[in-house]
Amino acid sequence: MSRLRRFAVLAAAAVLPALGLTLAGTTQASAAPNFQVPFKCGVTVTAATFSGHSPANSVDFQKSGITGMPVLASAGGTVTRVANEGSTSYGRWVEIDHGGGWRTRYAHLSTQSVSVGQAVGLGKQIGTAGATGGVTGPHLHFEQRLNGVAQKAVLHGVAVPYYGHTNFTSKNACGGNPHEATEVCGSGFSVVDSQGLANGAGTAYLLYNASTKANCATTLKAVSLGTASPVSAFLEVQGSARVTDSGSFTYYAGPVKKTAASTCVKWGGSVGTNAYESPFEHCG
């Protein structure tokens, strides 16, 4: 989650209780960004994980001819480290802060092309792969860290297997919104309705979790991706107050969740001035 998006969610969380409303998703300040493979769109690399890797849960990306290949930011954020350990440890490496306690590290680079304090978007080139530091061969050492501890990596929503060698094809900067409605709403939710917004600005979605009887609304942008711009999503259970998530977000608004078994709901959202509002429907 970008800093701008997190700030908007926290601000909404502070206002809504005063109105007697709650915003689903305000507990997700530490939710992981939708991390992507840190190589150009369409490039297939092998994600190698093994017991005894330091730190634990690191990933070594391997590929024939990897030296000199562009290394891209796995998610948007701010560069916090651009270091050179020489012939030991990480060698040349870069760290990016993604907010919510999440950071990524990219090590053994042959070159670095960013500076500390620089804001980088998803897919921004930060350097090239190499074999600097304490390595026996060229590869990209990669970490997804939460509050200073390396986590088991997830790439475009797919958990990297531990332990083994698994091929991943990059979707990084392939164009289009890297998020999906089911990812935004979470496990157990399925899309039951959607509406494209005028001028191709994005899509509003309604999802439902049959186990919990919860509805979820989210709006995914299709324009100004990676740049904070106005977007909203709302959900209204018939007979109850409407709940809205709106602000300047980089990829989507929501999730907005309300339980509504056997009750009609109204849903929709907007991207910029392009908006959609449904009638009360999906009453079953």
Side-chain angles (χ1 to χ4, degrees), residues 79-96:
V79 177
T80 51
R81 290 289 300 273
V82 179
N84 185 357
E85 311 293 343
S87 60
T88 63
S89 185
Y90 288 158
R92 292 183 179 273
W93 64 286
V94 169
E95 179 183 77
I96 301 174

Side-chain angles (χ1 to χ4, degrees), residues 91-266:
R92 292 183 179 273
W93 64 286
V94 169
E95 179 183 77
I96 301 174
D97 181 358
H98 306 284
W102 286 96
R103 298 190 179 200
T104 49
R105 289 184 175 181
Y106 313 76
H108 310 312
L109 301 172
S110 57
T111 64
Q112 297 145 299
S113 53
V114 290
S115 56
V116 172
Q118 180 178 342
V120 295
L122 170 68
K124 168 69 176 178
Q125 182 170 336
I126 61 172
T128 55
T132 60
V135 297
T136 57
H139 65 275
L140 176 68
H141 174 97
F142 177 73
E143 302 170 26
Q144 294 175 357
R145 301 170 70 90
L146 176 61
N147 297 325
V149 179
Q151 308 294 303
K152 288 188 174 180
V154 177
L155 299 168
H156 55 74
V158 178
V160 175
Y162 288 75
Y163 298 98
H165 291 67
T166 308
N167 287 343
F168 281 84
T169 299
S170 177
K171 299 179 180 180
N172 199 331
C174 289
N177 196 313
H179 300 275
E180 297 180 358
T182 50
E183 169 209 338
V184 175
C185 288
S187 177
F189 281 92
S190 298
V191 175
V192 296
D193 208 343
S194 63
Q195 177 65 48
L197 303 180
N199 301 312
T203 305
Y205 292 90
L206 176 68
L207 295 87
Y208 186 69
N209 187 318
S211 298
T212 64
K213 311 302 181 185
N215 296 269
C216 178
T218 181
T219 302
L220 272 62
K221 296 166 56 178
V223 295
S224 301
L225 295 173
T227 301
S229 63
V231 57
S232 71
F234 76 86
L235 183 60
E236 181 180 342
V237 178
Q238 194 163 26
S240 301
R242 177 178 296 190
V243 179
T244 302
D245 180 31
S246 64
S248 291
F249 304 145
T250 53
Y251 291 105
Y252 60 86
V256 180
K257 299 179 182 178
K258 296 283 286 185
T259 301
S262 303
T263 307
C264 302
V265 297
K266 184 181 290 188

Side-chain angles (χ1 to χ4, degrees), residues 30-45:
S30 293
N34 185 27
F35 290 120
Q36 301 294 302
V37 175
F39 292 93
K40 285 187 174 181
C41 177
V43 170
T44 299
V45 289

